[in-house]
Amino acid sequence: MEYQLPRLTKMWTHLERQAGGKVKGMGEKQIEVDKRILRTQIGVLKKELESVRKHRKQYRNRRFSVPVPVVSLVGYTNAGKSTLLNQLTGANVLSEDRLFATLDPTTRRVQMKNGSEFLLTDTVGFIQKLPTTLVAAFRATLEEISESSLLVHVVDISHPLAEQQIDAVEKVLAELDVSEIPKLMVWNKVDKVTDPEKIKLEAERREDIVCISALTGEGLLEFCNAVQEKLKDSMVPVEALVPFNKGELLSTIHQVGMVEKTEYTENGTFVKAFVPLRFARLLTPMRQLCKS
Ligand code: GDP
């Protein structure tokens, strides 16, 4: 709309022509009316965006108390992020072949067979250069990215300009200052490429790349395992003695971390696991208990 505002000028000249010049100025009045409508709508949308941002912040703060790792899907528009999210979680995120089908960041919970889980967030697609007026609109999403435990870069490997799209996304990521966050690259749409075997070999040759088809479901298990492995990198090993009256902590450890060993002792449950750093801090008193 901000793009449209200064470009309305020539839209209504046909009115003057139709009226044979008798009602000169009619078109211009209409332009003023249109501009006013646009400005009001822009104002309303800006307010809405601000409330989205506040809402997301509150939601993130709440999520902080149960530190389930957050995995953000980033990637070029149409790479297949929403399709992947839908396949993994059955969430009904809008999946369309057009620009910006997802403006609102959408988070879903992915549960693995081994009991651990992570939150998967679909983010808006990056295009070559985000127009500055749009950056405000994506702020909620961008903030979300900087707080995730892992970034999954989804690539449409069947696209003739895949390399350029990868570069464009990495450029935007560099601007976001997220270099500390571990990354995993996913080559999507392997069902669509002419020589899938060649692509898979190439992916194997490089590190940290998983080949999938979000559409057919091929490679999704490998994808989840790779996510788990990567998340483990960002976790810390802990050994703790959890008292029996803190049973809920045990289930949280299973949810957010990766348990290697549990043992029931007289004084509580001994756990050896990898957990997110924030959660490890929560366990500190019990870790001391374990040492003594
Ligand atoms: P997003 O913009 O990254 O969220 O992309 P979408 O998930 O909306 O997908 C864009 C288009 O690519 C849709 O028409 C999907 O059906 C299609 N698509 C996504 N994944 C695959 C895939 O693995 N194979 C094929 N052939 N098409 C896919």
Side-chain angles (χ1 to χ4, degrees), residues 78-79 155-162 165 187-194 199:
N78 272 337
V155 177
D156 173 0
I157 201 65
S158 73
H159 198 284
L161 296 177
Q165 296 186 342
W187 283 358
N188 189 30
K189 307 199 189 180
V190 282
D191 60 292
K192 215 174 150 189
V193 297
T194 37
I199 293 289

Side-chain angles (χ1 to χ4, degrees), residues 78-83 95-97 188-189 191-192 213-215:
N78 272 337
K81 296 179 294 297
S82 348
T83 312
S95 166
E96 276 181 53
D97 214 342
N188 189 30
K189 307 199 189 180
D191 60 292
K192 215 174 150 189
S213 167
L215 206 63

Side-chain angles (χ1 to χ4, degrees), residues 56-242:
R56 302 293 309 176
K57 183 119 191 93
Q58 280 170 355
Y59 172 63
R60 282 204 302 275
N61 286 347
R62 232 178 301 147
R63 200 162 65 199
F64 227 62
S65 56
V66 182
V68 181
V70 176
V71 178
S72 285
L73 297 175
V74 298
Y76 212 80
T77 299
N78 272 337
K81 296 179 294 297
S82 348
T83 312
L84 177 58
L85 190 77
N86 288 346
Q87 271 282 5
L88 283 173
T89 63
N92 205 7
V93 176
L94 199 64
S95 166
E96 276 181 53
D97 214 342
R98 66 176 166 89
L99 287 183
F100 303 134
T102 48
L103 188 65
D104 210 352
T106 321
T107 308
R108 290 290 183 277
R109 174 189 278 196
V110 181
Q111 276 168 320
M112 304 271 295
K113 283 211 182 76
N114 63 9
S116 60
E117 60 183 43
F118 55 87
L119 297 179
L120 196 60
T121 301
D122 185 16
T123 70
V124 79
F126 293 128
I127 48 168
Q128 210 85 20
K129 206 168 183 313
L130 221 51
T132 38
T133 42
L134 282 182
V135 170
F138 298 126
R139 210 162 49 173
T141 297
L142 302 182
E143 281 171 7
E144 192 98 15
I145 291 174
S146 62
E147 287 175 19
S148 29
S149 314
L150 175 68
L151 299 183
V152 171
H153 181 171
V154 184
V155 177
D156 173 0
I157 201 65
S158 73
H159 198 284
L161 296 177
E163 286 288 338
Q164 280 92 325
Q165 296 186 342
I166 291 174
D167 288 347
V169 171
E170 279 178 353
K171 239 196 212 146
V172 178
L173 286 179
E175 280 167 27
L176 291 181
D177 196 24
V178 289
S179 53
E180 300 289 301
I181 304 173
K183 284 182 202 72
L184 177 71
M185 194 181 271
V186 166
W187 283 358
N188 189 30
K189 307 199 189 180
V190 282
D191 60 292
K192 215 174 150 189
V193 297
T194 37
D195 192 351
E197 288 315 311
K198 193 175 146 210
I199 293 289
K200 283 175 197 165
L201 277 177
E202 178 63 26
E204 262 171 45
R205 212 174 51 80
R206 306 190 199 182
E207 255 175 58
D208 291 337
I209 298 179
V210 188
C211 286
I212 63 159
S213 167
L215 206 63
T216 67
E218 184 188 343
L220 288 190
L221 195 64
E222 288 91 332
F223 166 73
C224 284
N225 289 336
V227 167
Q228 291 282 303
E229 271 308 303
K230 276 272 159 193
L231 282 175
K232 202 167 162 182
D233 286 350
S234 64
M235 294 186 193
V236 291
V238 289
E239 288 184 11
L241 191 62
V242 183

Side-chain angles (χ1 to χ4, degrees), residues 21-35:
K22 265 182 246 155
V23 277
K24 242 189 169 160
M26 187 174 163
E28 202 175 320
K29 269 184 225 139
Q30 189 59 49
I31 286 169
E32 290 310 313
V33 173
D34 282 359
K35 276 193 178 167

Side-chain angles (χ1 to χ4, degrees), residues 220-281:
L220 288 190
L221 195 64
E222 288 91 332
F223 166 73
C224 284
N225 289 336
V227 167
Q228 291 282 303
E229 271 308 303
K230 276 272 159 193
L231 282 175
K232 202 167 162 182
D233 286 350
S234 64
M235 294 186 193
V236 291
V238 289
E239 288 184 11
L241 191 62
V242 183
F244 291 120
N245 62 358
K246 297 251 175 163
E248 77 285 353
L249 265 182
L250 260 191
S251 49
T252 311
I253 296 176
H254 276 277
Q255 253 172 21
V256 305
M258 269 158 266
V259 178
E260 299 206 321
K261 191 173 153 194
T262 50
E263 218 177 272
Y264 299 98
T265 71
E266 262 174 52
N267 305 318
T269 315
F270 169 78
V271 200
K272 192 171 172 209
F274 284 86
V275 295
L277 186 63
R278 269 182 290 141
F279 193 66
R281 289 203 194 107

